[in-house]
Short mmCIF file of all heavy atoms in Angstrom, two decimals:
data_model
loop_
_atom_site.label_atom_id
_atom_site.label_comp_id
_atom_site.label_asym_id
_atom_site.label_seq_id
_atom_site.Cartn_x
_atom_site.Cartn_y
_atom_site.Cartn_z
N SER W 17 -7.98 48.18 -17.02
CA SER W 17 -7.72 49.22 -18.03
C SER W 17 -8.80 50.30 -18.04
O SER W 17 -8.70 51.26 -18.81
CB SER W 17 -7.63 48.59 -19.42
OG SER W 17 -6.62 47.62 -19.46
N LYS W 18 -9.85 50.07 -17.25
CA LYS W 18 -10.99 50.99 -17.17
C LYS W 18 -11.64 51.21 -18.55
O LYS W 18 -11.91 52.33 -18.96
CB LYS W 18 -10.57 52.31 -16.53
CG LYS W 18 -10.05 52.11 -15.11
CD LYS W 18 -9.92 53.38 -14.36
CE LYS W 18 -9.36 53.27 -12.97
NZ LYS W 18 -9.39 52.05 -12.25
N ILE W 19 -11.85 50.07 -19.23
CA ILE W 19 -12.54 50.09 -20.52
C ILE W 19 -13.70 49.10 -20.43
O ILE W 19 -13.77 48.29 -19.51
CB ILE W 19 -11.61 49.73 -21.70
CG1 ILE W 19 -11.02 48.31 -21.54
CG2 ILE W 19 -10.50 50.76 -21.84
CD1 ILE W 19 -10.20 47.84 -22.73
N GLY W 20 -14.58 49.13 -21.39
CA GLY W 20 -15.70 48.20 -21.42
C GLY W 20 -15.27 46.81 -21.84
O GLY W 20 -14.24 46.63 -22.49
N THR W 21 -16.07 45.83 -21.45
CA THR W 21 -15.78 44.45 -21.80
C THR W 21 -15.74 44.26 -23.31
O THR W 21 -14.85 43.57 -23.83
CB THR W 21 -16.84 43.51 -21.19
OG1 THR W 21 -16.91 43.75 -19.78
CG2 THR W 21 -16.51 42.06 -21.43
N ALA W 22 -16.67 44.87 -24.03
CA ALA W 22 -16.70 44.74 -25.49
C ALA W 22 -15.42 45.29 -26.11
O ALA W 22 -14.86 44.69 -27.04
CB ALA W 22 -17.92 45.44 -26.06
N GLU W 23 -14.95 46.40 -25.59
CA GLU W 23 -13.70 46.98 -26.10
C GLU W 23 -12.52 46.05 -25.82
O GLU W 23 -11.66 45.85 -26.68
CB GLU W 23 -13.47 48.35 -25.47
CG GLU W 23 -12.30 49.10 -26.06
CD GLU W 23 -12.14 50.50 -25.49
OE1 GLU W 23 -13.03 50.98 -24.76
OE2 GLU W 23 -11.09 51.11 -25.77
N ALA W 24 -12.49 45.46 -24.65
CA ALA W 24 -11.43 44.52 -24.30
C ALA W 24 -11.48 43.28 -25.20
O ALA W 24 -10.44 42.74 -25.58
CB ALA W 24 -11.51 44.12 -22.84
N MET W 25 -12.69 42.84 -25.56
CA MET W 25 -12.84 41.67 -26.44
C MET W 25 -12.18 41.91 -27.80
O MET W 25 -11.70 40.98 -28.42
CB MET W 25 -14.32 41.34 -26.66
CG MET W 25 -14.99 40.71 -25.48
SD MET W 25 -14.74 38.95 -25.34
CE MET W 25 -15.82 38.34 -26.60
N LEU W 26 -12.15 43.15 -28.23
CA LEU W 26 -11.55 43.48 -29.53
C LEU W 26 -10.05 43.23 -29.55
O LEU W 26 -9.46 43.12 -30.62
CB LEU W 26 -11.86 44.93 -29.91
CG LEU W 26 -13.32 45.23 -30.20
CD1 LEU W 26 -13.51 46.72 -30.43
CD2 LEU W 26 -13.81 44.42 -31.40
N GLU W 27 -9.43 43.14 -28.38
CA GLU W 27 -8.00 42.88 -28.29
C GLU W 27 -7.67 41.39 -28.23
O GLU W 27 -6.50 41.01 -28.26
CB GLU W 27 -7.40 43.60 -27.08
CG GLU W 27 -7.52 45.11 -27.15
CD GLU W 27 -6.80 45.69 -28.36
OE1 GLU W 27 -5.67 45.26 -28.66
OE2 GLU W 27 -7.39 46.58 -29.01
N ALA W 28 -8.69 40.55 -28.14
CA ALA W 28 -8.47 39.10 -28.08
C ALA W 28 -7.84 38.61 -29.38
O ALA W 28 -8.15 39.10 -30.46
CB ALA W 28 -9.78 38.37 -27.81
N GLU W 29 -6.97 37.64 -29.24
CA GLU W 29 -6.33 37.01 -30.40
C GLU W 29 -6.84 35.59 -30.63
O GLU W 29 -6.67 35.04 -31.71
CB GLU W 29 -4.81 37.00 -30.22
CG GLU W 29 -4.21 38.40 -30.20
CD GLU W 29 -2.71 38.40 -30.03
OE1 GLU W 29 -2.08 37.31 -30.04
OE2 GLU W 29 -2.15 39.50 -29.89
N TYR W 30 -7.45 35.02 -29.59
CA TYR W 30 -7.93 33.65 -29.66
C TYR W 30 -9.31 33.55 -29.03
O TYR W 30 -9.61 34.27 -28.08
CB TYR W 30 -6.99 32.70 -28.90
CG TYR W 30 -5.58 32.78 -29.39
CD1 TYR W 30 -4.66 33.62 -28.76
CD2 TYR W 30 -5.15 32.04 -30.48
CE1 TYR W 30 -3.35 33.72 -29.22
CE2 TYR W 30 -3.85 32.13 -30.95
CZ TYR W 30 -2.95 32.98 -30.31
OH TYR W 30 -1.68 33.08 -30.77
N VAL W 31 -10.12 32.64 -29.56
CA VAL W 31 -11.37 32.27 -28.92
C VAL W 31 -11.24 30.81 -28.52
O VAL W 31 -10.89 29.97 -29.35
CB VAL W 31 -12.59 32.44 -29.85
CG1 VAL W 31 -13.84 31.89 -29.19
CG2 VAL W 31 -12.79 33.89 -30.24
#
Side-chain angles (χ1 to χ4, degrees):
S17 302
K18 300 193 182 339
I19 61 174
T21 305
E23 187 176 350
M25 286 278 284
L26 293 175
E27 297 300 317
E29 295 180 6
Y30 304 94
V31 173

